[in-house]
Coordinates of all heavy atoms in Angstrom, one line a residue:
N241 N -26.5 5.2 1.5 CA -27.3 6.3 0.9 C -26.8 6.3 -0.6 O -25.8 5.7 -1.0 CB -26.6 7.6 1.5 CG -27.5 8.8 1.3 OD1 -28.4 8.8 0.4 ND2 -27.0 9.9 1.9
I243 N -26.6 8.3 -4.2 CA -26.6 9.8 -4.8 C -26.8 9.3 -6.4 O -25.8 8.8 -7.0 CB -25.3 10.4 -4.5 CG1 -25.0 10.5 -3.0 CG2 -25.3 11.8 -5.2 CD1 -26.0 11.2 -2.1
L257 N -30.2 14.0 -4.9 CA -29.4 15.1 -5.4 C -29.4 15.3 -6.9 O -28.8 16.3 -7.5 CB -28.0 15.1 -5.0 CG -27.6 15.1 -3.4 CD1 -26.2 15.0 -3.1 CD2 -28.2 16.2 -2.9
C262 N -24.0 20.9 -6.7 CA -24.3 21.0 -5.5 C -23.2 22.1 -5.0 O -22.1 21.9 -5.2 CB -23.9 19.7 -4.7 SG -24.9 18.3 -5.1
V263 N -23.7 23.1 -4.3 CA -22.8 24.4 -3.9 C -21.9 23.8 -2.8 O -22.2 22.7 -2.1 CB -23.6 25.5 -3.5 CG1 -24.3 26.1 -4.6 CG2 -24.4 25.2 -2.3
H265 N -20.5 22.8 0.6 CA -21.3 22.5 1.8 C -20.4 21.4 2.5 O -19.5 20.7 2.0 CB -22.6 22.0 1.6 CG -22.7 20.6 0.7 ND1 -22.5 20.6 -0.4 CD2 -22.9 19.5 1.2 CE1 -22.6 19.4 -0.8 NE2 -22.8 18.5 0.2
A266 N -20.9 21.2 3.9 CA -20.5 20.0 4.6 C -21.8 19.3 4.8 O -22.8 19.8 4.9 CB -19.8 20.3 5.9
D267 N -21.7 18.0 5.1 CA -23.0 17.1 5.1 C -23.6 17.1 6.4 O -22.9 16.9 7.5 CB -22.6 15.7 4.7 CG -22.3 15.6 3.2 OD1 -22.9 16.4 2.4 OD2 -21.6 14.7 2.8
C278 N -17.8 10.9 5.4 CA -18.6 10.2 4.4 C -17.7 9.5 3.5 O -16.6 9.9 3.1 CB -19.5 11.1 3.5 SG -20.6 11.9 4.5
T279 N -18.3 8.4 2.8 CA -17.5 7.7 1.8 C -18.4 7.8 0.6 O -19.6 7.7 0.8 CB -17.3 6.2 1.9 OG1 -18.5 5.5 1.9 CG2 -16.7 6.0 3.4
L280 N -17.9 7.8 -0.6 CA -18.7 8.0 -1.9 C -17.9 7.0 -3.0 O -16.7 7.2 -3.0 CB -18.7 9.3 -2.3 CG -19.8 9.8 -3.3 CD1 -21.2 9.6 -2.8 CD2 -19.6 11.3 -3.8
G290 N -20.2 16.3 -13.3 CA -20.3 15.4 -12.1 C -19.2 15.3 -11.3 O -19.0 14.4 -10.5
G291 N -18.0 16.2 -11.6 CA -16.8 16.1 -10.8 C -17.1 16.7 -9.3 O -18.1 17.4 -9.1
T292 N -16.3 16.3 -8.3 CA -16.5 16.7 -7.0 C -15.3 17.4 -6.4 O -14.2 16.8 -6.5 CB -16.8 15.5 -6.1 OG1 -17.9 14.7 -6.8 CG2 -17.3 16.0 -4.6
G293 N -15.5 18.7 -5.9 CA -14.4 19.5 -5.3 C -14.4 19.3 -3.9 O -15.5 19.2 -3.2
F294 N -13.2 19.4 -3.2 CA -13.1 19.3 -1.7 C -12.1 20.6 -1.4 O -11.2 20.9 -2.1 CB -12.4 18.1 -1.4 CG -13.3 16.8 -1.6 CD1 -13.1 16.1 -2.8 CD2 -14.2 16.4 -0.7 CE1 -13.9 15.0 -3.1 CE2 -15.0 15.4 -1.0 CZ -15.0 14.6 -2.1
S325 N -28.3 20.3 -0.5 CA -27.1 21.1 -1.0 C -27.4 21.4 -2.6 O -26.7 22.2 -3.2 CB -25.8 20.4 -1.0 OG -26.1 19.0 -1.6
W402 N -14.0 11.8 -11.4 CA -14.3 10.5 -11.1 C -13.9 9.4 -12.2 O -14.1 9.7 -13.3 CB -15.8 10.2 -10.8 CG -16.3 11.0 -9.5 CD1 -16.7 12.2 -9.4 CD2 -16.2 10.5 -8.2 NE1 -17.0 12.7 -8.1 CE2 -16.6 11.4 -7.3 CE3 -15.8 9.2 -7.7 CZ2 -16.8 11.2 -6.0 CZ3 -15.9 9.0 -6.3 CH2 -16.4 10.0 -5.4
W410 N -14.1 11.4 2.9 CA -13.7 12.8 3.3 C -14.1 13.0 4.8 O -15.0 12.3 5.3 CB -14.4 13.9 2.6 CG -15.7 14.1 2.5 CD1 -16.6 14.9 3.4 CD2 -16.7 13.4 1.6 NE1 -17.8 14.7 3.0 CE2 -18.0 13.9 2.0 CE3 -16.6 12.6 0.6 CZ2 -19.2 13.6 1.3 CZ3 -17.8 12.2 -0.1 CH2 -19.1 12.7 0.3
H417 N -17.3 20.3 0.4 CA -17.2 19.7 -0.9 C -18.4 20.3 -1.7 O -19.3 21.0 -1.2 CB -17.4 18.2 -0.8 CG -18.5 17.6 -0.1 ND1 -18.7 17.6 1.3 CD2 -19.7 17.1 -0.6 CE1 -19.9 17.0 1.6 NE2 -20.5 16.8 0.5
R418 N -18.3 20.1 -3.0 CA -19.2 20.7 -4.0 C -19.3 19.7 -5.1 O -18.3 18.9 -5.4 CB -18.9 22.1 -4.4 CG -17.7 22.2 -5.1 CD -17.5 23.6 -5.8 NE -18.5 23.9 -6.8 CZ -18.5 23.3 -7.9 NH1 -17.5 22.6 -8.5 NH2 -19.5 23.7 -8.9
R419 N -20.3 19.8 -6.0 CA -20.3 18.8 -7.2 C -20.8 19.8 -8.4 O -21.6 20.5 -8.2 CB -21.3 17.9 -6.9 CG -21.5 16.9 -8.2 CD -22.5 15.9 -8.0 NE -23.8 16.5 -8.2 CZ -25.0 16.0 -8.0 NH1 -25.0 14.6 -7.7 NH2 -26.1 16.5 -8.3
D420 N -20.1 19.4 -9.5 CA -20.5 20.1 -10.8 C -21.7 19.3 -11.3 O -21.9 18.2 -11.0 CB -19.4 19.8 -11.9 CG -18.1 20.5 -11.5 OD1 -18.2 21.7 -10.9 OD2 -17.0 19.9 -11.8
F422 N -24.2 17.8 -14.2 CA -23.9 16.9 -15.4 C -25.1 17.0 -16.3 O -26.3 17.2 -16.0 CB -23.3 15.7 -14.9 CG -24.3 14.9 -14.0 CD1 -25.2 13.9 -14.5 CD2 -24.2 15.2 -12.6 CE1 -25.9 13.2 -13.6 CE2 -25.0 14.4 -11.7 CZ -25.9 13.5 -12.1
R428 N -25.7 8.8 -13.5 CA -24.6 8.9 -12.5 C -25.1 8.2 -11.3 O -26.2 8.5 -10.9 CB -24.2 10.3 -12.1 CG -23.1 10.4 -11.3 CD -22.7 12.0 -11.0 NE -21.6 12.3 -10.3 CZ -21.6 12.6 -9.0 NH1 -22.5 12.3 -8.2 NH2 -20.4 12.9 -8.4
M430 N -23.7 6.7 -7.5 CA -22.9 6.6 -6.3 C -23.4 6.0 -5.1 O -24.6 6.3 -4.9 CB -22.3 8.1 -5.9 CG -22.1 9.1 -7.0 SD -20.9 8.7 -8.2 CE -19.4 9.4 -7.3
R432 N -23.1 5.6 -1.0 CA -22.5 6.4 0.0 C -22.6 5.9 1.4 O -23.7 5.2 1.7 CB -23.0 7.9 -0.1 CG -22.1 8.9 0.7 CD -22.9 10.2 0.7 NE -23.6 10.4 2.0 CZ -24.0 11.6 2.4 NH1 -23.8 12.7 1.8 NH2 -24.7 11.7 3.6
Ligands
OGA655 C1 -22.9 14.1 -1.1 C2 -22.5 15.0 -2.1 C3 -21.4 15.0 -4.2 C4 -21.2 14.1 -5.4 O1 -22.9 12.9 -1.3 O2 -23.0 14.6 0.0 O3 -22.5 16.1 -2.0 O4 -20.3 14.3 -6.0 N1 -22.2 14.4 -3.3 O5 -22.2 13.5 -5.7

Side-chain angles (χ1 to χ4, degrees):
N241 194 349
I243 307 298
L257 300 184
C262 300
V263 296
H265 67 281
D267 286 334
C278 292
T279 72
L280 198 58
T292 309
F294 295 91
S325 54
W402 291 95
W410 64 91
H417 59 281
R418 62 171 299 282
R419 180 187 76 186
D420 298 322
F422 55 96
R428 186 176 188 269
M430 323 292 272
R432 196 185 96 159

